[in-house]
Amino acid sequence: QVQLVESGGGLVQAGGSLRLSCAASGRTFSSYSMGWFRQAPGKEREFVAAISRSGGSTFYADSVKGRFTISRDNARNTGYLQMNSLKPEDTAVYVCAAMVGLGLSTRTSDYNYWGQGTQVTISS
C-alpha cells in the first residue's frame, strides 16, 4: 500500500506556472505508475498526465500537451506536475494516483491509490 499527499496548488494568474508535488510513503514508489487527474466543480474527474514506473514513458491529455510536464524522482518518492501557460479552464482540484502494474492508463478505474488533492485556481 502507498499513501499519497499532494502539495503546490494555489492561485495564479492566467499565463503563470505552478509545480505540483505528490509525496508517496509506504511501499516502494518505483513499483507504481503514476498519474495526475483533475476535477472541476460540477464536472467528472478527468485524466491529465501519466508516467511509467521508471519515468521513461509519459502520456498527456490533449488539453495540457505542450504546457504540462509530468516527472518523478523515485529516490525522493515524489512525483511532479509542472504546469506552464496556465488558463482559467485549468482551475480544478488536482489529484495524484498510483497504479500497480506496467504501462500507463488514462482510466481512473485502473488506479489503486489516490491522494486527497490540491486546489489550483487560475484567474483571468
Side-chain angles (χ1 to χ4, degrees):
Q1 189 164 340
V2 63
Q3 293 78 41
L4 304 172
V5 179
E6 303 92 339
S7 62
L11 170 64
V12 298
Q13 289 187 330
S17 298
L18 282 172
R19 188 174 84 153
L20 306 183
S21 297
C22 176
S25 60
R27 288 192 60 184
T28 306
F29 182 56
S30 59
S31 299
Y32 302 89
S33 297
M34 195 186 81
W36 284 95
F37 292 78
R38 66 187 182 186
Q39 188 164 17
K43 295 187 177 181
E44 291 189 355
R45 185 168 290 185
E46 66 171 354
F47 170 77
V48 175
I51 189 166
S52 62
R53 295 186 299 180
S54 68
S57 297
T58 58
F59 187 76
Y60 297 90
D62 287 343
S63 58
V64 306
K65 198 173 297 182
R67 299 188 297 123
F68 290 13
T69 302
I70 189 171
S71 63
R72 65 190 297 162
D73 184 341
N74 287 340
R76 296 179 181 270
N77 290 340
T78 303
Y80 303 97
L81 185 68
Q82 177 67 43
M83 306 186 295
N84 298 328
S85 302
L86 284 161
K87 305 175 181 180
E89 52 263 44
D90 293 320
T91 295
V93 174
Y94 284 71
V95 185
C96 67
M99 183 180 76
V100 175
L102 299 174
L104 305 176
S105 177
T106 65
R107 299 180 299 188
T108 58
S109 59
D110 285 338
Y111 288 81
N112 306 93
Y113 304 103
W114 294 84
Q116 294 298 309
T118 185
Q119 177 70 47
V120 171
T121 304
I122 312 304
S123 63
S124 57

